[in-house]
Amino acid sequence: MEDKAMKVILDTGVQGILQSDLWKKLETTSREGSRLAVRLEKTGLVKRVKELVDGRWTFRLYAISDALKTKSGNTLEGCPCFKCADLARCGNLQSISPVFCAGLDHWLQILSKTGRRNNSS
Ligand code: SF4
Protein backbone atom coordinates (compact mmCIF):
# COMPACT_ATOMS: atom_id res chain seq x y z
CA MET A 1 0.00 0.00 0.00
CA GLU A 2 2.88 2.40 0.83
CA ASP A 3 4.41 1.71 -2.57
CA LYS A 4 1.16 2.48 -4.37
CA ALA A 5 0.59 5.63 -2.32
CA MET A 6 4.10 6.91 -3.04
CA LYS A 7 3.58 6.42 -6.76
CA VAL A 8 0.34 8.40 -6.61
CA ILE A 9 1.97 11.17 -4.57
CA LEU A 10 5.01 11.31 -6.85
CA ASP A 11 2.77 11.57 -9.90
CA THR A 12 1.17 14.73 -8.49
CA GLY A 13 4.55 16.49 -8.61
CA VAL A 14 4.84 19.93 -7.07
CA GLN A 15 1.03 20.26 -6.72
CA GLY A 16 0.86 17.48 -4.17
CA ILE A 17 -2.40 15.76 -3.35
CA LEU A 18 -5.04 16.21 -0.67
CA GLN A 19 -5.25 13.27 1.73
CA SER A 20 -8.90 12.72 0.84
CA ASP A 21 -8.07 12.47 -2.86
CA LEU A 22 -5.34 9.97 -2.09
CA TRP A 23 -7.76 7.77 -0.13
CA LYS A 24 -10.14 7.78 -3.08
CA LYS A 25 -7.40 6.77 -5.51
CA LEU A 26 -6.24 3.99 -3.18
CA GLU A 27 -9.82 2.94 -2.45
CA THR A 28 -9.21 2.89 1.28
CA THR A 29 -10.83 4.46 4.34
CA SER A 30 -9.85 7.87 5.70
CA ARG A 31 -8.71 6.18 8.90
CA GLU A 32 -6.33 3.81 7.12
CA GLY A 33 -5.30 6.59 4.75
CA SER A 34 -4.39 8.91 7.61
CA ARG A 35 -2.27 6.20 9.22
CA LEU A 36 -0.58 5.57 5.90
CA ALA A 37 0.23 9.28 5.46
CA VAL A 38 1.72 9.45 8.94
CA ARG A 39 3.85 6.37 8.24
CA LEU A 40 5.12 7.88 4.98
CA GLU A 41 5.89 11.17 6.71
CA LYS A 42 7.87 9.33 9.37
CA THR A 43 10.07 7.79 6.70
CA GLY A 44 10.91 11.24 5.42
CA LEU A 45 9.52 10.44 1.98
CA VAL A 46 6.46 12.66 2.28
CA LYS A 47 5.71 16.04 3.74
CA ARG A 48 2.22 16.77 5.10
CA VAL A 49 1.17 20.41 4.96
CA LYS A 50 -1.99 21.60 6.74
CA GLU A 51 -4.51 23.19 4.37
CA LEU A 52 -7.99 24.66 4.77
CA VAL A 53 -10.36 23.17 2.19
CA ASP A 54 -14.06 24.09 2.13
CA GLY A 55 -13.86 25.29 5.73
CA ARG A 56 -12.20 22.11 7.03
CA TRP A 57 -8.57 21.51 7.90
CA THR A 58 -6.88 18.69 6.08
CA PHE A 59 -3.43 17.87 4.80
CA ARG A 60 -1.84 18.07 1.39
CA LEU A 61 0.86 15.49 0.76
CA TYR A 62 4.03 16.23 -1.16
CA ALA A 63 6.75 13.80 -2.15
CA ILE A 64 9.97 15.13 -0.72
CA SER A 65 11.80 13.78 -3.74
CA ASP A 66 10.26 16.49 -5.93
CA ALA A 67 12.98 18.90 -4.93
CA LEU A 68 15.59 16.36 -6.02
CA LYS A 69 13.65 15.53 -9.13
CA THR A 70 13.55 19.08 -10.42
CA LYS A 71 17.14 19.95 -9.52
CA SER A 72 19.03 16.83 -10.51
CA GLY A 73 16.58 14.52 -12.25
CA ASN A 74 16.80 11.92 -9.46
CA THR A 75 13.76 9.99 -8.34
CA LEU A 76 12.96 7.64 -5.50
CA GLU A 77 13.08 4.71 -7.86
CA GLY A 78 15.13 1.97 -6.26
CA CYS A 79 14.72 3.32 -2.74
CA PRO A 80 14.89 0.32 -0.38
CA CYS A 81 12.10 1.68 1.81
CA PHE A 82 9.44 0.71 -0.72
CA LYS A 83 10.20 -2.97 -0.28
CA CYS A 84 11.22 -2.85 3.37
CA ALA A 85 9.37 -5.07 5.81
CA ASP A 86 10.11 -2.53 8.56
CA LEU A 87 8.59 0.48 6.81
CA ALA A 88 5.59 0.70 9.12
CA ARG A 89 7.84 0.66 12.20
CA CYS A 90 10.56 2.95 10.84
CA GLY A 91 10.75 6.62 11.72
CA ASN A 92 12.43 9.34 13.69
CA LEU A 93 12.76 8.48 17.38
CA GLN A 94 11.80 4.86 16.65
CA SER A 95 13.98 1.82 17.33
CA ILE A 96 14.21 1.43 13.55
CA SER A 97 15.17 4.72 11.96
CA PRO A 98 16.25 6.06 8.55
CA VAL A 99 19.07 7.80 10.40
CA PHE A 100 20.75 4.48 11.19
CA CYS A 101 19.66 2.45 8.15
CA ALA A 102 22.57 0.92 6.24
CA GLY A 103 20.37 0.05 3.26
CA LEU A 104 19.11 3.59 2.85
CA ASP A 105 22.58 5.00 3.43
CA HIS A 106 24.02 2.73 0.73
CA TRP A 107 21.32 3.73 -1.76
CA LEU A 108 21.85 7.44 -1.06
CA GLN A 109 25.62 7.07 -1.48
CA ILE A 110 25.21 5.41 -4.86
CA LEU A 111 22.69 8.04 -5.89
CA SER A 112 24.95 10.93 -4.91
CA LYS A 113 28.07 9.39 -6.51
CA THR A 114 26.54 8.35 -9.78
CA GLY A 115 23.73 10.84 -10.18
CA ARG A 116 21.80 7.93 -11.69
CA ARG A 117 18.04 7.78 -11.53
CA ASN A 118 18.20 4.56 -9.51
CA ASN A 119 20.56 1.88 -8.28
CA SER A 120 19.03 -1.07 -10.05
CA SER A 121 21.54 -1.17 -12.91
S1 SF4 B 1 14.62 0.47 7.79
FE1 SF4 B 1 15.72 1.54 6.17
S2 SF4 B 1 14.94 0.68 4.27
FE2 SF4 B 1 13.49 0.19 5.88
S3 SF4 B 1 11.98 1.81 5.84
FE3 SF4 B 1 13.54 2.39 7.33
S4 SF4 B 1 14.99 3.64 6.22
FE4 SF4 B 1 13.79 2.54 4.71
Side-chain angles (χ1 to χ4, degrees):
M1 183 70 94
E2 282 88 358
D3 217 3
K4 198 173 172 185
M6 270 313 298
K7 285 178 182 160
V8 171
I9 297 168
L10 281 166
D11 284 346
T12 64
V14 294
Q15 289 185 324
I17 185 170
L18 290 174
Q19 283 193 163
S20 55
D21 291 337
L22 180 63
W23 317 156
K24 289 172 195 164
K25 283 184 182 276
L26 296 176
E27 297 178 351
T28 188
T29 64
S30 61
R31 184 182 178 129
E32 176 53 32
S34 294
R35 289 179 179 165
L36 175 62
V38 169
R39 288 200 302 269
L40 289 173
E41 187 178 45
K42 281 183 179 176
T43 67
L45 300 175
V46 166
K47 182 175 183 177
R48 295 191 313 147
V49 177
K50 209 170 179 183
E51 183 173 317
L52 192 61
V53 177
D54 298 330
R56 299 183 68 178
W57 286 104
T58 183
F59 288 95
R60 184 174 291 273
L61 309 174
Y62 298 93
I64 291 190
S65 70
D66 269 341
L68 294 173
K69 203 174 180 182
T70 55
K71 289 178 183 171
S72 67
N74 290 329
T75 71
L76 289 177
E77 198 173 350
C79 176
C81 303
F82 295 130
K83 295 179 180 176
C84 181
D86 293 323
L87 179 61
R89 297 182 296 138
C90 181
N92 286 337
L93 306 177
Q94 304 292 320
S95 58
I96 301 171
S97 165
V99 176
F100 304 108
C101 177
L104 183 62
D105 188 48
H106 178 70
W107 177 72
L108 288 170
Q109 284 181 17
I110 289 172
L111 198 66
S112 66
K113 285 179 186 169
T114 64
R116 291 191 320 221
R117 294 176 65 84
N118 64 61
N119 68 349
S120 60
S121 56

